[in-house]
Amino acid sequence: MTVVYLDTLLLVNFMANYLALRAAASLAGLPIRRGLLALSALLGAVYAGAVFLPGMTWLARWPCKAAAGAVMVVVAFGGCGRLLRAGVTFFLTAAALGGLVLAAELLGGRQLVLENGVLYAHVDLRLLLLLLLGSYLVLEMALRRVWSGRDRHCGEAEVRLPGGTARLRVLLDTGNTLTDPLTNRPVLVAEGAALERVLPRNFPWWDPVRGVEQAAVQGLRGVRLLPYRAVGVDCGMLLAVKSQGITLEGRDLGPLLVALSPTPVSDGGNYQALLGAE
């Protein structure tokens, strides 16, 4: 008979869920919203604990597992777009992470228990958490190699606006020559939908003219129209806002201008912004 300690089970599964969700967000090119990832991981851990409660073993059936996973995906990635892609990526990532942990346990001669489909182990808790973290780092390195193989010019950026900080996946595009005419510095072209939560409430980022008018009414500073040219567009206008700072892969780029694109900038959704590669 397996004796399960509920506090250990909750902590182990919370850690495993959070790392799997974070790796899935990285692989799917979605912004990493730590609070929602933690909430989703906690819900998954509570579900894992509920499986062991008296009379609740029916929760271990695969329809319940699928439903619990779907809830976790909606909580973690809802509102980001590409929800189906995020869900598939999460399930594959969770399976890969579990496989790495299982392999490490077997190679180390430790006893790992997968009771009712829930991860549990009779080993020192600190050792197990280190094992989870190490497996995550191995998986993350593998995912980064996948990304670099698909697009070696992508990077993670933090965009700081008055309403908060947003994390975006940025493509460094040598063909993007858009610059700020006032400073001659590169302009970050970002999907407006990806920045909506850090923009003023009900701000019409998809309509350049209305955006400038509302900014004037509300006294918002650093908002203006930015002319651009592209294939099929001789003279277009984008709504642009001045950031408080942008950090790309640890490199501080300073307060660049951010142009808000009303349409996705990536056909496959692999990135949410473009920046001219210097």
Side-chain angles (χ1 to χ4, degrees), residues 92-135:
L92 292 176
T93 304
L97 183 62
L100 285 173
V101 173
L102 179 60
E105 288 281 350
L106 293 177
L107 289 174
R110 300 285 184 172
Q111 181 185 7
L112 182 140
V113 177
L114 199 61
E115 188 79 13
N116 291 330
V118 176
L119 182 67
Y120 191 76
H122 293 292
V123 297
D124 182 81
L125 180 58
R126 290 172 297 181
L127 177 60
L128 181 58
L129 293 180
L130 286 175
L131 181 59
L132 275 171
L133 184 58
S135 299

Side-chain angles (χ1 to χ4, degrees), residues 160-176:
R160 297 182 292 279
L161 294 173
T165 300
R167 293 180 62 89
L168 304 176
R169 190 160 187 85
V170 179
L171 174 68
L172 302 180
D173 183 9
T174 55
N176 178 16

Side-chain angles (χ1 to χ4, degrees), residues 209-251:
V209 175
R210 283 181 55 199
V212 170
E213 291 175 348
Q214 183 166 323
V217 171
Q218 296 183 355
L220 302 176
R221 308 177 72 177
V223 179
R224 56 191 172 92
L225 294 176
L226 183 68
Y228 76 97
R229 288 187 300 174
V231 177
V233 181
D234 291 331
C235 185
M237 288 289 177
L238 288 173
L239 185 63
V241 297
K242 189 67 173 292
S243 71
Q244 296 178 328
I246 295 177
T247 303
L248 177 63
E249 294 293 318
R251 177 187 173 193

